[in-house]
Structures are given as structure tokens and as C-alpha cells.
């Protein structure tokens, strides 16, 4: 799972353009609207700016979904409060008050209750999470520790990956009056040093087979691709693309940033495809808020509410625009789009259906036993029935979504196995019978229950 933070508040109307509301959109932004000639029309209703053209092949290959109008009730227009709410899922957060644990931190704390003290113990084969950023995100914060391996920047993570070295904490006498604090620091240091070596080993095993652009964001994804291809045990990564607080000169800034995003994410999945891991990695963007419908006096937009969330990956099993786009006709008194999708429903769906966390734990991790509405994003692990939801093609299932009655569809109970009918495995008859309607060369890949390929 790759969490891509679009820091500053991404403008949704410059990301997913509602063609069906184009006149209202253009009238609200006479100086900064995107002309129709520069819109890449993906459906009759929605398009993206032509500078995001790198996502067009991903759309064609079923690797791109955009979820409309993501937000929450009483959405904050503060960078700090908004960031905290999207991290801790606590809608009561105000100012500097709020829950001090995050949605992924609570999951990892439940999964690894002795993360620091049980050394090396039963921790995962890689860091629980890896974050590139100048401080540990609240997303990964638990009661005991932050569960992310955090580096200040991509240069530092590259150095650790190449050398396997990290600073350590010297031994201190346990009779020290600050013994508890020193014990904590030793635990953090031990985990850090252990995982620095594992990151280095994965970096040596992996390699990039695609040439990425030379910019900060692309370098982050290139490094993550190499670690994933090197089979690092880490399941969740966070990277950041900053600069979205576009109060002025928005057209140039947004074009540059979304070009970086679309080109790098396309390269990333092309890179993973070389080792057939592209369907095992889901990427999701998020931002602390959206921006207003109307432009301001500086060729920009001010802090707003709802914005789209973008998903990338072959595991989506089809491209679509999901949910209801907010109307531009009835903004609130400040010109804000109203949310149509609670962000907690997306978080919970990803946890239950992609990371395969049991639903009771998901609702516990998303605070207060929140009963979420599962969203059909094209993948399933829990086996729940998804409520009908409108997609851009007028259907209630994503385009190219496998039919559950199709004998060649993915069977969630068998991991990533592709089941062909008839299929008669048992203790007495452990065989797969494949009947072909015509002669052809066939490659059969066998996966174990953990999703690891064991043979071809």
C-alpha cells in the first residue's frame, strides 16, 4: 500500500474536471480554468488535464480510479487540523487537540504489541511502514511508538538503502535516573538498526528497469519500486508531493506537480510489471482538504472542502470514476464543494479489502466502532457484499470487474490463485484439471496462500 500525500490541499477541480458541469466550472474560474482543448476526456462525464496524459494508458489498462467528493462532516480548512483528522480519523479534533494515534498506527499496535521490547521477536521481515518525510506521521502513531521507519528525505533513505548504516544509541547504565527513557531509545535504535540492514538487503536484490524522471517525487517512487522488487517485508509506504497550497499562480504550479505525479506513477507500475508485482501494489492519494470552486484575485484558489482521491494499480481490476461528483450549483456560503464520500469509508475499505484486516478490527481502528460503508474499488478480501454505487459508465460495478460467477475469476479464498473450471482439489486428489477449447501454449503459475509464486 502506497500512501501519496499531496501536501497543501490539492485542487480537485483541476484534477478531475466535471465535463457535465463545464460551464459552471469555467464561469467560476475565468482566468485559471482548463480549456476544453486541454482536457483528456476519459468518459463523457469526466476528464483530466492533458498534462496528466501519462495516466491515459493506465486508464486503458484498468489501473486508475478516481473517487469523487472525499471529505467529512464539518471539514476543517486548517492545514494542521485537516492533516490530523485525515491521520487519526477523529472528527472531534480541533486546533492542537485530538487523538494522538493514527489509523495505521492502531493497526500495527494490535498486530505487533511487543514491537520494541520483543527484539528481534515476531516483528515483520521489514519495517511495518516506511515514510519519507521530515517527521513521523500521525498516520503511523501508536500509543507506544511510531511504527514507521522515517527518513528526513529521499537522500537519507537512499543512503541507508545503499549502505545499510544508521546512527545508533550508545549503551547507558540502567541505574540512570532516566532508565525508562533510555530503554525506549534503545528499543527504537535496535529496531532502526535492524531494519536499516533489511532495507539494504532488499535494495541489493532489487533493481529499477525503467528510467524515471529526475525530480524529488520520481526518486521516491523509484526507490520504493526497488525495495518492493527486492521483496522487503514492508506492507505500507508513505511518500509526499508538496506544493499544493496554490493560493497564487495555480495553473503553472498544479501542472508541474500533477505532471510529476502522473509520469512517475506510470513509470512505477511499468517498473513493477517486470517482476509481475504490479497487481500486488495499490497506491492512494490524500490531501488535508480540497480547494474552493471560485478562483481568488491571485490566479489561485483558497482552502476548500471536498476533493477526489486517486487510486492506481492493476489490482483495481478496471478504471472508473466512483461515486457522485459534488454539484457546483449549490456551494456553501464560502464557495465550497460539499463532500459526497466520507474518507473513513475509503480507509476502512482499503484496510478490509486490500490489507485483509478483519472487519471488527477495521471498525475499531477507524475510531469508536465507526460502522463504515464498503466501497467497491475492484478488489475484495472479506467477501462482503458491496452496496450498489454509480460508476461513470452507468453500471453498478467497475468496468472489467470480474464476475463472481465466472469460473476464471479470482477466488478470494485461494489468495491470488486463478481458478479454472472444472477444479477438483482435495487431499485425495490434489490436481488441477484444465480443459482448453483449442490448442495453445499455456503458462500455469502456482501461488501459495501467502500470494508468493512457487512455480510456473
Amino acid at each position: 500500500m502506497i500512501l501519496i500525500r499531496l501536501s497543501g490541499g490539492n485542487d480537485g477541480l483541476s484534477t478531475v474536471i466535471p465535463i457535465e458541469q463545464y460551464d459552471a466550472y469555467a464561469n467560476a474560474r475565468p482566468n485559471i480554468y482548463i480549456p476544453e482543448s486541454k482536457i483528456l476526456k476519459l468518459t463523457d462525464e469526466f476528464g483530466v488535464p492533458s498534462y496528466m496524459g501519462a495516466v491515459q494508458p493506465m486508464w486503458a489498462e484498468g489501473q486508475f480510479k478516481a473517487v469523487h467528493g472525499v471529505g467529512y462532516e464539518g471539514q476543517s480548512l486548517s492545514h494542521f487540523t485537516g492533516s490530523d483528522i485525515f491521520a487519526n480519523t477523529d472528527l472531534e479534533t480541533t486546533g492542537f487537540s485530538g487523538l494522538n494515534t493514527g489509523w495505521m498506527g492502531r493497526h500495527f499496535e494490535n498486530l505487533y504489541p511487543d514491537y520494541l521490547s520483543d527484539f528481534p521477536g515476531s516483528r515483520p521481515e521489514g519495517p511495518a511502514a516506511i515514510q519519507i518525510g521530515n517527521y513521523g506521521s500521525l498516520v503511523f502513531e501508536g500509543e507506544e511508538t511510531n511504527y514507521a521507519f522515517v527518513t528526513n528525505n529521499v537522500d537519507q533513505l537512499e543512503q541507508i538503502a545503499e549502505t545499510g548504516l544508521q546512527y545508533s544509541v550508545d549503551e547507558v547504565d540502567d541505574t540512570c535516573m532516566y532508565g525508562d527513557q533510555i530503554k525506549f531509545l534503545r528499543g527504537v535504535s535496535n529496531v532502526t538498526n535492524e531494519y536499516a540492514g533489511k532495507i539494504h538487503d532488499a535494495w541489493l536484490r532489487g533493481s529499477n528497469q525503467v528510467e524515471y524522471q529526475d525530480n524529488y517525487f520520481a526518486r521516491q517512487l523509484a526507490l520504493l519500486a526497488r525495495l518492493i522488487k527486492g521483496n522487503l517485508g514492508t506492507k505500507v509506504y508513505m511518500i509526499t508531493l508538496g506544493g499544493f497550497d496554490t493560493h497564487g499562480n495555480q495553473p503553472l504550479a498544479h501542472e508541474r506537480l500533477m505532471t510529476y505525479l502522473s509520469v512517475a506513477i506510470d513509470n512505477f507500475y511499468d517498473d513493477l510489471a517486470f517482476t509481475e508485482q504490479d497487481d500486488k501494489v495499490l497506491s492512494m492519494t490524500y490531501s488535508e482538504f480540497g480547494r474552493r470552486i471560485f478562483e481568488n484575485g491571485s490566479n489561485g484558489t483558497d482552502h476548500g472542502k471536498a476533493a477526489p482521491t486517486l487510486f492506481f494499480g492493476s489490482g483495481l481490476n478496471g478504471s472508473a470514476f466512483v461515486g457522485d461528483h459534488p454539484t457546483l450549483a449549490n456551494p456553501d456560503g464560502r464557495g465550497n464543494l460539499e463532500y459526497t464520500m466520507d474518507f473513513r469509508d475509503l480507509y476502512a475499505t482499503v484496510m478490509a479489502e486490500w490489507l485483509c484486516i478483519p472487519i471488527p478490527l477495521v471498525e475499531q481502528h477507524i475510531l469508536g466502532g465507526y460502522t463504515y460503508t464498503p466501497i467497491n474499488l475492484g478488489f475484495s478480501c472479506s467477501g462482503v457484499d458491496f452496496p450498489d454505487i454509480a460508476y461513470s459508465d452507468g453500471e453498478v460495478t467497475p468496468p472489467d470487474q470480474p464476475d463472481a460467477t465466472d469460473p476464471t475469476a479470482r477466488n478470494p479464498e485461494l489468495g491470488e490463485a486463478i481458478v479454472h473450471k472444472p477444479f477438483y482439489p482435495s487431499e485425495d486428489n490434489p490436481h488441477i484439471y484444465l480443459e482448453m477449447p483449442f490448442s495453445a501454449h499455456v503458462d500455469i503459475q502456482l501461488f501459495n496462500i501467502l500470494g508468493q509464486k512457487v512455480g510456473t
Side-chain angles (χ1 to χ4, degrees), residues 99-102 105-106 109 140-147 184:
L99 197 70
N100 60 359
T101 60
R106 295 189 286 271
E109 194 148 58
F140 302 114
E141 194 72 37
E143 293 287 353
E144 183 180 3
T145 188
N146 190 294
Y147 287 83
F184 172 80

Side-chain angles (χ1 to χ4, degrees), residues 148-289:
F149 185 103
V150 182
T151 61
N152 288 334
N153 49 58
V154 69
D155 300 287
Q156 188 180 47
L157 185 56
E158 284 175 343
Q159 179 181 0
I160 292 168
E162 292 175 12
T163 65
L165 300 178
Q166 178 59 288
Y167 297 112
S168 63
V169 175
D170 294 334
E171 289 291 324
V172 178
D173 192 330
D174 283 338
T175 60
C176 172
M177 64 182 296
Y178 298 108
D180 290 340
Q181 291 89 331
I182 294 300
K183 181 179 179 181
F184 172 80
L185 289 176
R186 285 177 181 168
V188 173
S189 179
N190 286 338
V191 172
T192 300
N193 290 329
E194 177 195 9
Y195 284 147
K198 291 186 180 296
I199 290 171
H200 175 57
D201 293 340
W203 184 83
L204 290 176
R205 290 191 299 264
S207 64
N208 294 120
Q209 291 161 283
V210 167
E211 184 176 352
Y212 291 77
Q213 290 186 323
D214 185 16
N215 62 65
Y216 184 81
F217 183 71
R219 286 173 59 201
Q220 293 180 80
L221 279 177
L223 181 53
L224 264 53
R226 183 162 179 171
L227 296 178
I228 290 169
K229 293 167 78 175
N231 294 317
L232 183 64
T234 298
K235 299 302 181 186
V236 184
Y237 298 82
M238 178 186 287
I239 57 177
T240 299
L241 179 60
F244 285 92
D245 197 18
T246 49
H247 291 282
N249 301 316
Q250 177 174 296
L252 289 177
H254 200 265
E255 177 175 351
R256 175 177 57 85
L257 294 171
M258 295 310 285
T259 300
Y260 285 172
L261 172 69
S262 55
V263 172
I265 204 76
D266 181 47
N267 290 340
F268 176 69
Y269 280 98
D270 285 346
D271 202 357
L272 294 177
F274 276 93
T275 49
E276 300 181 355
Q277 291 171 284
D278 52 307
D279 61 342
K280 305 293 191 299
V281 181
L282 180 71
S283 299
M284 179 181 80
T285 67
Y286 77 100
S287 196
E288 57 262 44
F289 45 66

Side-chain angles (χ1 to χ4, degrees), residues 423-438:
F423 180 50
Y424 308 113
S426 69
E427 291 183 1
D428 298 326
N429 182 26
H431 296 86
I432 297 174
Y433 176 71
L434 175 64
E435 182 175 297
M436 291 290 293
F438 49 81

Side-chain angles (χ1 to χ4, degrees), residues 31-95:
N31 297 300
I32 66 170
Y33 76 95
I34 297 171
E36 291 183 89
S37 61
K38 294 185 178 180
I39 297 175
L40 184 60
K41 190 176 179 181
L42 298 179
T43 70
D44 290 339
E45 294 84 13
F46 302 103
V48 297
S50 57
Y51 50 75
M52 290 180 63
V55 304
Q56 186 171 26
M58 299 190 71
W59 174 271
E61 293 166 9
Q63 301 179 34
F64 174 39
K65 279 189 172 76
V67 182
H68 296 308
V70 178
Y72 55 88
E73 188 67 34
Q75 192 156 354
S76 168
L77 302 182
S78 159
H79 289 293
F80 307 105
T81 303
S83 296
D84 284 353
I85 289 173
F86 272 99
N88 65 14
T89 69
D90 181 7
L91 269 56
E92 302 303 317
T93 298
T94 57

